Amino acid sequence: MAPRKHSDEVELYNRLTLLRTERGMSRQELADAVGVHYQTIGYLERGEYSPSATLALRLAAVFGLPMEAVFSLTPFRTLSEQVYGTKEPS
């Protein structure tokens, strides 16, 4: 059974799926790199679980990025917004 967030928890957004897939990594490979079960990576990617600070730092280190490039308290802008300054059509 997946871990459940408490109703008072703040939403934590992440780019794990994007970063993992653009590097051609499986969930298992990422899990092995940070020392967790592969299902934990799935829970994190779907936003069903928030990582500890230590795990967040390990994940960011695997990608060679600062933690705030991987995790955010606000939604990340889409690629088209970042590169072209446009928003996705509604």
Side-chain angles (χ1 to χ4, degrees), residues 31-48:
D32 291 345
V34 297
V36 298
H37 193 274
Y38 77 93
Q39 287 181 322
T40 300
I41 300 301
Y43 295 145
L44 290 166
E45 288 180 349
R46 292 187 300 274
E48 296 173 5

Side-chain angles (χ1 to χ4, degrees), residues 5-65:
K5 285 187 172 187
H6 297 286
S7 61
D8 61 341
E9 276 189 61
V10 174
E11 182 89 24
L12 184 65
Y13 300 90
N14 71 74
R15 290 182 166 145
L16 290 174
T17 304
L18 172 70
L19 295 167
R20 180 179 59 76
T21 56
E22 76 181 8
R23 286 163 174 78
M25 294 178 81
S26 68
R27 284 183 177 159
Q28 184 66 61
E29 290 168 329
L30 181 55
D32 291 345
V34 297
V36 298
H37 193 274
Y38 77 93
Q39 287 181 322
T40 300
I41 300 301
Y43 295 145
L44 290 166
E45 288 180 349
R46 292 187 300 274
E48 296 173 5
Y49 176 74
S50 294
S52 66
T54 303
L55 179 54
L57 288 166
R58 282 189 199 143
L59 287 161
V62 166
F63 299 119
L65 295 169

